[in-house]
Amino acid sequence: MQKEIKVGDNLKRLRSDKGWSLDKAAKETGVSKAMLGQIERGESSPTVAKLWQIASGFEVSFSSFITTCSNNELTSLFRDANELRREEYNVGFFVSLLFPFEPALGFEIFELTLAPNYQHESEPHNLGVTEHILCISGEMAVLFDGEWHTLQAGQAVRFNANQLHGYRNIGEENAVFHNVIHYPENKQ
């Protein structure tokens, strides 16, 4: 059984680890002090875009907010996207965290599912962050370098994520893709 992950608890822990007040966290993330406090208290559920904005301000991985802390010990690990799939961050956008960020590896892996006609755009991530997208099923388009690029099942693309980017389902069925997000050394 999967343990319930509390985004607010992780936000509070990360803020404490950095020694930041809510004011400092608001300044670094561009998210209001009131909103950060609501997230920490479990009174507000942030969207994927808002979590990315917070993660970028903290200079940590996205998975830092949606999983429990890793002990940083690399061991064999079997994961099932069907058991991990969650839609609570955006309706029509399912997130399965296959492998959370590990400092020794420098990346995290997600399986993402977009409902038909769903589009998600992300603000730029920190300098040096790259995304690797592999379309597993369906048809999708990926926004980077100012334009949408079409991907069919089996096609992949890599791009610098420190720019406006996004994902769009352009087919009539769910579009499923893997996203490997690599962080520069000493970032999580």
Side-chain angles (χ1 to χ4, degrees):
M1 182 170 164
Q2 182 180 344
K3 181 181 176 187
E4 181 63 28
I5 304 305
K6 302 212 185 235
V7 171
D9 291 343
N10 284 339
L11 174 57
K12 189 181 294 183
R13 176 186 49 78
L14 288 165
R15 191 170 59 78
S16 175
D17 289 350
K18 288 194 172 276
W20 288 359
S21 65
L22 278 174
D23 285 324
K24 172 74 171 171
K27 180 180 178 190
E28 295 296 322
T29 63
V31 176
S32 73
K33 177 181 171 180
M35 173 62 81
L36 292 172
Q38 289 171 354
I39 294 168
E40 284 190 3
R41 293 187 301 274
E43 298 169 359
S44 178
S45 296
T47 64
V48 168
K50 191 62 65 180
L51 276 178
W52 263 115
Q53 183 179 351
I54 296 168
S56 293
F58 273 79
E59 295 186 338
V60 297
S61 67
F62 181 82
S63 64
S64 297
F65 288 99
I66 62 172
T67 190
T68 55
C69 291
S70 167
N71 63 7
N72 292 327
E73 183 179 319
L74 294 178
T75 59
S76 299
L77 183 60
F78 177 81
R79 308 282 279 176
D80 184 341
N82 296 312
E83 293 178 7
L84 301 168
R85 194 167 290 118
R86 300 165 65 141
E87 189 185 25
E88 65 194 54
Y89 306 109
N90 289 84
V91 175
F93 186 41
F94 296 87
V95 177
S96 299
L97 175 59
L98 295 178
F99 295 101
F101 178 83
E102 295 287 346
L105 301 174
F107 64 86
E108 58 194 357
I109 302 176
F110 295 90
E111 180 187 275
L112 302 168
T113 303
L114 307 174
N117 300 311
Y118 186 88
Q119 178 173 313
H120 174 81
E121 290 186 18
S122 262
E123 292 296 317
H125 302 320
N126 294 328
L127 187 64
V129 175
T130 56
E131 292 195 23
H132 307 73
I133 307 296
L134 171 61
C135 184
I136 303 301
S137 64
E139 299 174 272
M140 65 180 292
V142 181
L143 172 66
F144 62 91
D145 294 341
E147 53 186 280
W148 289 94
H149 306 269
T150 302
L151 292 180
Q152 305 286 328
Q155 294 182 319
V157 66
R158 177 182 65 209
F159 61 90
N160 292 322
N162 64 330
Q163 62 181 308
L164 177 69
H165 58 283
Y167 326 101
R168 177 192 303 160
N169 183 340
I170 58 174
E172 296 179 16
E173 304 288 327
N174 282 346
V176 179
F177 64 101
H178 288 167
N179 187 352
V180 178
I181 303 174
H182 184 266
Y183 297 87
E185 194 172 339
N186 299 324
K187 303 288 182 188
Q188 43 168 320

